[in-house]
Each structure stands twice: as C-alpha cells, then as structure tokens.
C-alpha cells in the first residue's frame, strides 16, 4: 500500500479551490472518493435547498461557487466577530471529524442528483464546527488515545463539566465514563437507578438514590441514564455511601477525590489494590 504525501504549501495554495481532497479540520488527505478517509463536500445550500455536488453542478472547483470566494472575515461566526478573518472556507471535512463534532445531530445529506452518492454538508456548519465547537478546547490537540488517558484521571464532576464543554469533548467524556463503568460493573448491583423518598436517621424525609438490582444486565446508558457520564455520576454517589466515605470527604482538608481513586483502584488489574486516604479523621471518643 502506497502512502500519499502532499506538502503543506500545496494544501495552503489549494485553499478555497479543493482540487486536493483533504479534511479542513484534521488535514487527512485522500487520493479520490474510493481511497483513504471518507470525505464530505462542503456546499452552499441546506438539504431542503440541495443544489447538488460539485461534479453534478458542472463546476471545475470550489472557487466557482460564490461562498468559497469569501474569507471568513466576511461573516460573524458563532457570535465571535471576525474570528478566522482572512481564512478561506474549508472545502471538505472527513466523516470522523464531523461525527466527533456533531455526535447526535445529522447535518450531512446526499447529493440530489439521481444515482449520485456524494455526501454533502453545509459550509456554514463545517465552519461553525471548525471555529466554535470542535476547536473550542485545547485538549483537541492531543491524539485520541492520549486524550483519553488524560481524561481518565478526572472525577465524575469534572467529567460532567468536560461533557458540557463542547460536542467533541462530550464524546471523549462518554468514552472514558463507559470504560470506567465497565471495569467495575460486576462489583455493584444492577439497575434501574431509582431516586425515591426515604426517612433518614433523624426522621426527616429526603431523596435517596439506590440501584434496585432488578435488571439482568450491568449498569449502562441509555437504559439507566441518558449518558454514560450520568451513570458514572450515580455510581460515585452510591460508592460514597456504600463504603462510608462521607465523613472523610467533608469538612476542612477533606479528601474530595477519595471515591474517584477508590473506583480506579478497584477497576484496574493490579496485585496491590490497597486503598488509603490522603488524610484520615476519627471522631473523638472516651479513649483509654
């Protein structure tokens, strides 16, 4: 199998023209539609007003379409003023980048021409993802597996914040939460997750969370919660109560990461699974 190489200068000179088939976000290059990564063409119309792909419209290159002759400074992208000023629009985006930046919403569509299978995506959507959503976190600069290894150290609350940062980080947070759960699922009751009212030791009625253990499968999304991050959030809450971490995790100098470290230690195949707190407190009693 031969490797395809294209110098950065050639790609730069091809901006707004599109003769080189490359993804405008990750830079992946393909020989043609049958080789390399699956690339979607950017177009100037939405699905309901589909004008067809470049070839079906009898265009030589993207510069013959008016929208690709304008730099990004001509538009206000995501309410951020002249972000991307002077930069030409990207002409193609690979399927992987589009799926990562829009995991639940389908923005692409097929060319309207009969028997043409070329997939298209509106240029405004591609640019919004390039400048606003997909590139909004510096963590995107890391390769996929390296990024997952870093995110794996985050607690449930931090995973939730990362999940809400942008759609690209959302997919990473979901992957990490799923892997964390699958490592320890066999050590916990099954779902469904139920939030019900129950009296505490002082007779006050409060909301309590518990796993009913009625399902014949382990905790998972979307059966027990819409997202894996949400399931992991409940797992941390239950762990805190099951192993009586509450006292050590509250007050001044609290060991707030105790539950996260405990779950990670139980989930990894290690001969040394002993767990210790950073600081341990004991209530005063009538000592000898």
């Amino acid at each position: 199998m031969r490797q395809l190489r294209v110098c950065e200068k050639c790609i730069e000179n091809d901006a707004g023209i599109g003769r080189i088939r490359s993804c405008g976000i990750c830079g992946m290059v393909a020989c043609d539609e049958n080789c390399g990564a699956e690339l979607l063409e950017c177009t100037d119309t939405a699905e309901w007003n589909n004008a067809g792909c470049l070839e079906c419209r009898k265009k030589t290159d993207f510069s013959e379409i008016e929208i690709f002759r304008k730099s990004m400074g001509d538009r206000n992208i995501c309410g951020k003023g002249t972000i991307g000023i002077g930069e030409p629009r990207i002409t193609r985006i690979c399927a992987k980048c589009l799926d990562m930046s829009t995991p639940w919403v389908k923005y692409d569509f097929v060319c309207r021409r009969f028997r043409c299978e070329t997939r298209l995506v509106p240029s405004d959507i591609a640019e919004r993802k390039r400048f606003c959503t997909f590139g909004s976190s510096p963590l995107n600069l890391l390769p996929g597996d390296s990024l997952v290894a870093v995110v794996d150290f985050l607690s449930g609350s931090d995973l939730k914040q990362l999940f809400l940062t942008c759609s690209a980080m959302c997919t990473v947070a979901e992957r990490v939460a799923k892997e964390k759960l699958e490592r320890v699922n066999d050590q916990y009751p099954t779902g469904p997750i139920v939030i019900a009212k129950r009296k505490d030791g002082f007779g006050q009625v409060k909301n309590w969370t518990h796993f009913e253990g009625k399902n014949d499968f382990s905790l998972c999304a979307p059966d027990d919660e819409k997202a894996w991050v949400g399931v992991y959030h409940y797992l941390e809450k239950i762990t805190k109560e099951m192993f009586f971490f509450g006292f050590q995790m509250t007050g001044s100098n609290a060991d707030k990461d105790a539950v996260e470290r405990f779950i990670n230690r139980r989930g990894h195949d290690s001969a040394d699974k002993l767990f210790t707190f950073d600081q341990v407190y004991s209530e005063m009693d009538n000592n000898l």
Side-chain angles (χ1 to χ4, degrees), residues 66 72 80 103 108 128 134 136 142 155 160 227 229 247 286:
E66 182 180 1
M72 293 314 302
K80 296 184 179 180
D108 62 287
R128 191 177 301 128
F134 190 83
S136 61
L142 292 173
S155 64
K160 181 180 178 181
V229 172
F247 182 71
N286 295 325

Side-chain angles (χ1 to χ4, degrees), residues 31-239:
C31 299
D32 52 40
E33 63 273 10
N34 300 317
C35 177
E38 181 183 3
L39 295 171
L40 286 71
E41 280 190 13
C42 297
T43 187
D44 56 344
T45 54
E47 182 175 11
W48 64 270
N49 193 27
N50 186 352
C53 68
L54 198 69
E55 182 177 354
C56 292
R57 293 167 72 173
K58 309 297 183 184
K59 304 291 185 182
T60 305
D61 56 57
F62 287 88
S63 63
E64 295 185 18
I65 302 176
E66 182 180 1
I67 195 173
F68 293 99
R69 293 197 292 268
K70 299 179 180 179
S71 67
M72 293 314 302
D74 296 328
R75 300 224 23 185
N76 186 337
I77 301 297
C78 296
K80 296 184 179 180
T82 56
I83 185 170
I85 185 170
E87 295 190 32
R89 289 174 176 267
I90 60 176
T91 56
R92 293 181 179 89
I93 180 173
C94 70
K96 183 177 180 180
C97 285
L98 185 64
D99 291 340
M100 287 182 64
S101 55
T102 57
W104 297 296
V105 182
K106 181 179 173 62
Y107 287 110
D108 62 287
F109 49 89
V110 179
C111 174
R112 63 180 295 183
R113 305 300 176 181
F114 184 61
R115 293 184 178 179
C116 180
E117 299 297 328
T118 302
R119 292 171 62 191
L120 307 171
V121 61
S123 178
D124 286 344
I125 296 296
E127 295 304 329
R128 191 177 301 128
K129 299 307 171 185
R130 178 164 65 136
F131 288 115
C132 304
T133 304
F134 190 83
S136 61
S137 172
L139 291 175
N140 278 317
L141 299 176
L142 292 173
D145 293 338
S146 299
L147 179 56
V148 168
V150 172
V151 176
D152 190 58
F153 286 96
L154 298 181
S155 64
S157 58
D158 291 333
L159 265 182
K160 181 180 178 181
Q161 292 181 5
L162 186 67
F163 180 86
L164 299 174
T165 300
C166 66
S167 50
M169 289 297 100
C170 160
T171 58
V172 175
E174 278 288 87
R175 174 182 169 183
V176 170
K178 180 180 179 181
E179 292 178 356
K180 284 174 176 282
L181 276 163
E182 290 177 342
R183 290 199 294 259
V184 298
N185 253 339
D186 59 334
Q187 304 174 40
Y188 290 84
T190 62
I193 301 173
V194 176
I195 301 176
K197 294 187 180 298
R198 179 172 177 264
K199 289 184 178 180
D200 61 10
F202 301 97
Q204 296 180 344
V205 178
K206 294 183 178 180
N207 289 327
W208 294 78
T209 304
H210 70 282
F211 301 156
E212 285 198 328
K214 294 181 178 180
N215 293 339
D216 56 358
F217 52 88
S218 301
L219 295 169
C220 65
D223 298 273
D224 296 303
E225 187 67 18
K226 293 180 180 179
W228 286 96
V229 172
V231 180
Y232 185 74
H233 169 73
Y234 284 113
L235 185 77
E236 281 196 337
K237 292 181 66 176
I238 292 295
T239 302

